[in-house]
């Protein structure tokens, strides 16, 4: 005869089971690193990681707060997760990430469906925070502040800071991969010291802080041990790496060391500021074996007058000269950028200048964004705003031009050799990216499987193009 369960025994048994947490990540590759650090912290403190929110006790949504579309996506994701609570699982939904850090209590008041809004300072104690929330605690919502004011003005004085910086603790073993693919983002730094008038990121990400090379190398070796073949180096401004460590040329010495890590086949650098791209770094990226000749250049516009209003620098001749330097060093280099259209006061002549530059630049891919006011930015206070309909029309014009240039540039690559990192295999077809294609934003390259597996780096030749996407044939394989 079986024993009769005592009152409360089932509840006690359930309470002793590890809490399950699902992490939902929105936004950029930097956020992906932050989520994997949060996952590492939670796993080390006894949480069980699950992929589906319906299997979780608590859902952690790592939000994006960059532009209006990203904010809306973050809010919609939080609401969708909160709707699941009606079935009893999950029991709580918590907002973290850039939107939560940027708006804090304001977001909590506008979105009562979320059980908590936590900021970056909560990350070191995230396990305790989530346990309390699942148990019914209602923490005080995060109170935003300008994180630039929390660090010394002088970059060299920031090295000893104890301010939590998301994604910087991963080298201490506090990272758990959420995507087992052959490419992984690796943070070089966080924050930004630039004061672009359209950008709010420095106010909630803080001033620029580099990670020490030893930490970056330790994490790179760990990533290689998990099967990573390509390191995607990310930050808000990679060209500033090392300035707060006393050596602005530190990246030139770090890149060859990363490329030499056992198991790493390719190192890719992202987000370079054209005004800061010194010749030594350009040559290192273009000429170091294992470092792909890939240049993610933040032009934002080409008109010198618009750029000055953005508190940026440059002009078509300077930018085209930089592109010539890159292509002389690496003729098949991948080059991408983003531009903002419809900035306050942008004239038809300034827009024409941007279009002429984009036609001459022949970039592989260009992201086109319509200007929108961002809370707390200088540009939000400017006069001469263009109306939404005019901005949409200008975006459409530039996007059509960019589509044409992208198609022509991809067609130019037909007949070129390409090294494809296989990321997916479906039947007789494999899909991956060439050296000139960054993760998610620059198109992909497909090729016959021919025995290849995910993680293989395949030498091939381009045989066709469709927009930014390429078709390739492995070298030595008949048509």
């Amino acid at each position: 005869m079986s024993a009769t369960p005592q009152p409360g025994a089932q509840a006690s048994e359930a309470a002793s089971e590890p809490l399950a947490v699902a992490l939902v990540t929105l936004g950029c590759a930097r956020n992906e690193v932050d989520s994997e650090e949060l996952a590492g912290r939670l796993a080390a403190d006894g949480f069980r990681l699950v992929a589906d929110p319906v299997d979780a006790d608590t859902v952690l949504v790592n939000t994006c707060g960059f532009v209006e579309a990203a904010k809306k996506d973050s809010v919609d994701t939080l609401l969708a997760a909160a709707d699941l609570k009606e079935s009893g699982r999950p029991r709580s939904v918590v907002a973290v990430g850039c939107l939560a850090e940027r708006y804090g209590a304001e977001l909590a008041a506008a979105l009562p469906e979320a059980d908590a809004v936590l900021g970056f300072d909560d990350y070191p104690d995230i396990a305790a925070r989530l346990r309390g929330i699942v148990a019914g605690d209602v923490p005080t919502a995060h109170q935003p502040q300008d994180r630039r004011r929390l660090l010394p003005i002088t970059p060299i004085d920031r090295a000893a800071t104890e301010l939590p910086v998301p994604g910087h603790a991963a080298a201490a073993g506090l990272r758990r991969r959420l995507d087992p693919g052959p490419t992984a983002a690796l943070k070089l730094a966080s924050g930004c010291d630039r004061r672009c008038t359209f950008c709010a990121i420095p106010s909630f990400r803080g001033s620029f802080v580099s990670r020490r090379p030893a930490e970056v190398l330790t994490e790179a070796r760990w990533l290689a041990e998990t099967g990573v073949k390509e390191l995607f180096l990310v930050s808000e401004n990679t060209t500033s790496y090392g300035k707060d460590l006393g050596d602005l040329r530190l990246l030139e010495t770090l890149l060859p060391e990363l490329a030499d890590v056992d198991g790493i086949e390719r190192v890719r650098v992202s987000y370079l500021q054209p005004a800061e791209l010194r010749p030594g770094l350009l040559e290192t990226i273009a000429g170091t074996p294992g470092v792909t000749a890939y240049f993610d250049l933040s032009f934002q516009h080409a008109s010198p007058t618009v750029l000055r209003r953005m508190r940026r620098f440059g002009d078509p001749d300077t930018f085209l000269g930089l592109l010539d330097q890159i292509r002389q060093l690496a003729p098949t280099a991948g080059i991408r950028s983003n531009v903002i259209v419809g900035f306050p006061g942008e004239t038809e002549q300034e827009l024409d200048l941007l279009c002429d530059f984009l036609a001459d630049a022949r970039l592989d891919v260009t992201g086109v964004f319509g200007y929108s006011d961002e809370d707390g930015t200088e540009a939000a206070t400017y006069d001469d705003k263009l109306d939404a309909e005019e901005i949409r029309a200008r975006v459409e014009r530039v996007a059509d031009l960019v589509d044409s240039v992208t198609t022509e540039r991809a067609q130019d690559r037909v007949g070129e050799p390409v090294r494809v990192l296989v990321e997916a295999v479906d039947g007789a077809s494999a899909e991956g990216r060439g050296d000139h294609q960054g993760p998610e934003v620059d198109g992909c390259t497909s090729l016959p499987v021919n025995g290849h597996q995910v993680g293989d780096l395949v030498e091939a030749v381009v045989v066709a193009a469709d927009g930014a996407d390429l078709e390739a044939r492995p070298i030595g394989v008949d048509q």
Side-chain angles (χ1 to χ4, degrees), residues 21 64 149 188 294 327 435:
V21 57
C64 178
R149 301 177 184 274
L188 287 176
Y294 176 80
R327 287 167 173 149
D435 286 336

Side-chain angles (χ1 to χ4, degrees), residues 79-243:
L79 289 172
D83 286 344
L84 297 175
K85 291 192 294 181
E86 294 182 3
S87 64
R89 198 81 178 268
R91 290 144 64 185
S92 68
V93 174
V94 177
V96 294
C98 291
L99 190 70
E101 176 65 33
R102 185 176 180 184
Y103 292 103
E106 182 182 345
L107 177 64
L111 198 70
E113 292 85 353
D115 296 278
V117 175
L118 304 180
F120 295 154
D121 292 338
D122 292 302
Y123 284 20
D125 300 314
I126 190 66
R129 298 285 189 273
L130 292 191
R131 281 198 176 91
I133 294 164
V134 170
D137 293 348
V138 182
T140 302
H142 160 67
Q143 294 294 329
Q145 55 186 322
D146 190 335
R147 291 186 76 82
R148 291 172 294 189
R149 301 177 184 274
L150 304 181
L151 289 167
I153 294 176
T154 305
I156 201 69
D157 293 334
R158 297 174 192 159
T161 182
E162 296 183 358
L163 182 74
V165 182
H168 282 218
L174 296 175
R175 181 171 180 177
R176 179 69 65 91
R177 293 199 68 199
L178 299 173
D179 180 351
T183 297
L186 175 57
K187 259 195 183 180
L188 287 176
S190 288
C192 185
D193 289 338
R194 300 182 72 89
R195 294 295 180 265
C196 301
T197 58
F198 57 82
C199 184
I201 289 175
S203 66
F204 56 87
R205 277 290 183 178
S207 299
F208 186 86
V209 179
S210 300
R211 298 180 69 192
R212 294 190 177 279
E215 296 177 6
V216 176
L217 284 165
T218 296
E219 190 172 341
R221 295 186 186 105
W222 175 79
L223 288 168
E225 291 171 0
T226 69
V228 170
K229 301 296 184 181
E230 176 179 314
L231 299 174
F232 184 45
L233 307 184
V234 299
S235 74
E236 275 78 17
N237 179 7
T238 302
T239 33
S240 282
Y241 179 75
K243 73 175 186 179

Side-chain angles (χ1 to χ4, degrees), residues 297 299 319-327 335 357 361 363:
L297 301 171
F299 287 130
F319 290 162
L320 291 172
L322 174 60
L323 297 175
D324 286 342
Q325 292 179 54
I326 291 171
R327 287 167 173 149
I335 309 175
F357 164 72
L363 304 178

